Amino acid sequence: MLDLTTLTAHKLSSTSKGVPDILDGVTIEDAPGRGLNLLQQPFPAPVAVLRQSAIRANIELMRRYTQSAGVELAPHGKTTMAPQLFDMQLAAGAWGITCATAAHLRLYRRFGVPRVIMANQLLDAASIQFVARQLAEDPGFEFYGIVDSVAGARRYFDVLSRLPRGRPVNLLLEVGAAGGRTGVRTVADAVAVGKEVAEMSDAGGSLRLAGIEAFEGIFAGSPREAETSVTSFMERVSEVARHCDGNDAFRDSEVVLTAGGSAHFDQVVKALKAIQLSRQTKVVLRSGCYITHDHGFYAAALERLRERSAGSDSVFVERGFEPALELWTTVQSLPEAGLAIIALGKRDVSFDMGLPVPLKHLAGGGNSPLSGASPVSIRGKGEIVRLNDHHGYLKFTGLNLAVGDRIAVGISHPCTTFDRWEYLYVVDDQYDVVSVVRTYF
């Protein structure tokens, strides 16, 4: 069974010197043995909590899904930026980890991630040189970068051509959508970039077009409109892949086809699996938010996915991902009837894709040990309507709240909650602290 108390322990201990105690006299390494319980002992509010059972269940469910679909998984590490969680994902069979920036890439290598997809373009010489050094120094390391223009391909080539010849840098041709972010807009542009990389590969061997990359999570509108847009977009991705294959742009016997956020990954898998090329294909899904899921945007997206899966043998027919991330805080003030001000604000929790969702209430002060009370659900009895930097406005009905009571909230969009926390407490189902996860944003 995957265990957060041991994974990455040697790496964390070597990188946490000089870091203050997470609590008075408690370090990240000795927290699991201190008998801490989030509900029975005072903790500074707010505090970020990961439910271990939900994380394990989500990792296992995604493992089952990718295995049954016959695809690989390279989850986007930007969601958590937590090497302990990377280790759990890799131990469960993840093919690699996806990164977004050159800084992420360097951190991944610092913690020994063996295969990285960088879902962005490297344009600065120092970072391209870093990749080349890593490939030269570690025969087990694999890197896949992104290119969407002839100019971008030439930047890679110009830097690499001045270095000793080594293993070629794998590039994935990115397909984009009109009005969206990066990625070629037309098949003609894709063919031109593919031809350029192929010629560079033949000329110096420093580059290789290894596959096609896309990101379908850019489409807005109603759920049905977004699904239609994703279907159309993936048809264009398929067309680009076939043209590049027909023009002999790929230089390996296997072509990587990769896409997949955390909302439409089933559509992505279906589309990429249907692409027929002259070479073998490897479909790689890059979903990242599944590991903690949420109580907002991705919860709604999962319900749509399960509707799309109805009548199939999908693993999601019987169950879905579980929300694993909670923030626990205290009631600071009850200044008006039906209004509680809680110690939780924009600096503590995501709000870009929906405000936090009140989940649980635990009566009792936060300055002394509690008497064994259990939290009760308050779903539907309260709503967070506004956030300041460190204050939340909780409107409620039918609740008997007191100053010092504890409130647990769920989140929408885990990516922009993790980046607010250096430490997150991992708890079992009784809220005993079993580990502490450290992030590296």
Side-chain angles (χ1 to χ4, degrees):
M1 179 176 288
L2 300 173
D3 186 359
L4 278 167
T5 63
T6 58
L7 288 171
T8 326
H10 64 289
K11 302 172 188 175
L12 285 168
S13 61
S14 66
T15 57
S16 59
K17 294 178 181 178
V19 176
D21 294 347
I22 55 176
L23 293 171
D24 289 343
V26 179
T27 67
I28 189 171
E29 292 89 355
D30 66 14
R34 298 296 291 269
L36 301 174
N37 182 282
L38 186 74
L39 306 184
Q40 301 304 315
Q41 293 161 309
F43 276 76
V47 61
V49 174
L50 295 172
R51 296 175 51 244
Q52 186 179 55
S53 60
I55 289 176
R56 288 174 171 169
N58 292 343
I59 289 175
E60 173 59 17
L61 185 59
M62 184 58 91
R63 185 198 66 78
R64 287 176 52 206
Y65 170 73
T66 53
Q67 185 178 61
S68 65
V71 302
E72 302 290 352
L73 176 67
H76 212 315
K78 71 176 176 64
T79 297
T80 69
M81 289 303 291
Q84 291 156 284
L85 300 181
F86 296 172
D87 275 3
M88 291 186 73
Q89 292 168 306
L90 291 167
W95 183 76
I97 304 290
T98 298
C99 75
T101 70
H104 292 177
L105 172 63
R106 290 174 183 270
L107 177 77
Y108 288 18
R109 292 303 294 154
R110 174 181 163 194
F111 282 91
V113 175
R115 183 184 285 116
V116 177
I117 292 177
M118 183 169 177
N120 215 330
Q121 299 184 71
L122 278 180
L123 296 176
D124 65 289
S127 295
I128 297 172
Q129 292 165 358
F130 174 79
V131 169
R133 288 197 305 272
Q134 291 292 304
L135 291 170
E137 295 170 1
D138 184 356
F141 174 53
E142 293 184 35
F143 174 80
Y144 294 81
I146 300 298
V147 64
D148 77 344
S149 67
V150 169
R154 287 175 178 168
R155 289 187 72 91
Y156 280 103
F157 184 78
D158 289 346
V159 174
L160 294 171
S161 63
R162 294 192 292 270
L163 301 176
R165 183 168 179 174
R167 287 195 288 150
V169 172
N170 294 317
L171 293 182
L172 304 171
L173 176 60
E174 182 169 34
V175 181
R181 54 192 201 190
T182 50
V184 293
R185 298 311 202 237
T186 68
V187 172
D189 288 342
V191 169
V193 177
K195 179 181 178 182
E196 184 77 10
V197 177
E199 291 177 353
M200 291 174 177
S201 179
D202 294 339
S206 59
L207 293 176
R208 176 172 60 190
L209 190 65
I212 304 295
E213 183 273 346
F215 176 63
E216 78 293 346
I218 58 175
F219 299 104
S222 69
R224 195 168 299 279
E225 289 170 339
E227 290 165 1
T228 300
S229 296
V230 169
T231 297
S232 177
F233 177 60
M234 295 308 298
E235 289 173 354
R236 189 178 312 117
V237 172
S238 176
E239 186 180 6
V240 167
R242 291 195 300 270
H243 274 80
C244 288
D245 183 49
N247 291 327
D248 199 29
F250 302 115
R251 287 294 183 266
D252 205 349
S253 60
E254 185 175 66
V255 177
V256 172
L257 304 173
T258 177
S262 296
H264 300 275
F265 60 82
D266 60 320
Q267 291 182 262
V268 163
V269 166
K270 181 179 179 180
L272 294 182
K273 289 282 289 183
I275 297 175
Q276 298 294 317
L277 304 180
S278 64
R279 295 165 170 80
Q280 290 185 336
T281 62
K282 182 186 292 294
V283 174
V284 181
L285 184 63
R286 302 198 311 272
S287 307
C289 293
Y290 77 91
I291 190 168
T292 62
H293 198 46
D294 71 7
H295 289 87
F297 178 83
Y298 290 110
L302 178 65
E303 289 308 307
R304 291 292 301 178
L305 184 152
R306 297 182 73 183
E307 291 175 13
R308 295 193 295 267
S309 301
S312 72
D313 59 355
S314 169
V315 299
F316 297 107
V317 171
E318 294 184 359
R319 62 172 299 176
F321 298 121
E322 301 177 27
L325 180 55
E326 298 176 354
L327 276 78
W328 279 82
T329 188
T330 55
V331 176
Q332 280 194 318
S333 178
L334 294 163
E336 303 168 14
L339 174 65
I341 305 300
I342 61 174
L344 181 85
K346 295 178 181 179
R347 305 297 292 272
D348 310 304
V349 67
S350 58
F351 57 93
D352 57 317
M353 296 170 69
L355 291 171
V357 179
L359 299 176
K360 302 170 186 176
H361 169 223
L362 181 66
N367 296 320
S368 60
L370 304 181
S371 58
S374 297
V376 297
S377 173
I378 56 172
R379 293 294 298 268
K381 296 182 179 180
E383 179 185 9
I384 295 175
V385 296
R386 179 182 169 194
L387 296 174
N388 295 148
D389 277 2
H390 292 287
H391 295 83
Y393 295 68
L394 171 60
K395 288 194 173 182
F396 63 92
T397 57
L399 296 178
N400 185 22
L401 301 183
V403 171
D405 283 0
R406 301 188 194 187
I407 301 291
V409 304
I411 53 94
S412 181
H413 196 197
C415 296
T416 49
T417 293
F418 268 95
D419 65 3
R420 288 158 166 79
W421 296 92
E422 184 177 9
Y423 302 109
L424 298 95
Y425 296 96
V426 182
V427 299
D428 62 18
D429 290 342
Q430 289 72 47
Y431 286 90
D432 293 321
V433 176
V434 299
S435 183
V436 179
V437 160
R438 183 180 178 188
T439 66
Y440 290 83
F441 285 96

